[in-house]
Amino acid sequence: IAQQGEVESCTRRKVKRLLSFQRYCHASRLLRGLVPHTPGSLHLLDDDYLGQAAHMLSKVGTWNFDIFLFDRLTNGNSLVMLMCHLFNVYDLVHHFQLDIVKLHRFLGMVQEDYHSQNPYHNAVHAADVTQAMYCYLQEPKLAEQLSPLDVFLGLMAAAAHDVDHPGVNQPFLIKTQHHLASLYQNTSVLESHHWRSTVGMLRESGLLSHLPADMSGDIEAQLGSLILATDISRQNEFLSTFREHLDNQDLDLQLASHRHFILQIALKCADVCNPCRVWELSRQWSERVCEEFYRQGDLEREYDLEISPLCNQQADTVPVIQIGFISYIVEPLFVEWHRFTDPSPLSLTMMGHIHKNKACWNNLRCAAHTPTHSPTEEPEPEGGDEEVDDEIP
């Protein structure tokens, strides 16, 4: 009996390691007969809040969409409500003959599996990326060429691209010998986990169970290709291929493979588009992501590990981190997206915000070294008083 108990205990430990922390806790609460804590039910919301949320959704295609306000108005259900709205906009439920109950179940699982305690990699970030992806799918260069499957894949990948993110990066998982690092052989560890978690939830919810096996398998594989493209370590690989296509003018959006590549680029753009937003929103995201970096640095300090780049709050300031991020990641990618769109009004707006926000961070960096500057004073963006029209596309 003792040996049997030891085997069962070992099995439980293995299962606990295999499951993500949140999924394990969720399951254990259900097994104990407890109702899991979820964001407040929509029917408990005041009608005024729902009315304001509905009004915001009527303008979901505008670039100055405030996802933080929308999340408050929906009582933390921004991802579910946004995805349901966009599925209706594109009539995807009818086209793919989706069961609405299974769709809600799947979206609820995805939203719940984001870690709300993460300052940055949470369900609000997923909703923000999804809203940006919708704007990119509406680009004139792209919109007329996309199939319903392209749109479905683009929205689903955006919503689930960071699901169950632990709030630390891949090097941290590798140097702490986390089981995910071993499972995915230290390569695209987080992105592989996001994808496999998404596939698990698709199957658990039964959302695609009515489709032929080869079609559902193809959808799962394409979602993987899109989510894996968000691995920042593959940035140069995608950027050079994108640049080469634009230089050669050989992108043919009649080809499914070329449309898929542009969806990969669009998701990469949506994932790092925070510096392309208006300053008031962009700054919030910048502070959130740096707070997440600093928390990792504190963990590393606590366990006597080498502090990762950008994670030392004493040495790595928010302005310096953001200037580097814009200069080496965001600007090169959006310069090429700008070329791809010919450029579009939205692309012009985004490039304008990138330049203004970079100037703001430069001003804050300089102010930090000027003793007479008041820390509460907002920096003035360079470029005068000219306003960029955000009411697009």
Side-chain angles (χ1 to χ4, degrees), residues 127-138:
D128 185 61
V129 170
T130 303
Q131 190 271 336
M133 176 61 100
Y134 171 65
C135 291
Y136 300 157
L137 297 179
Q138 292 290 300

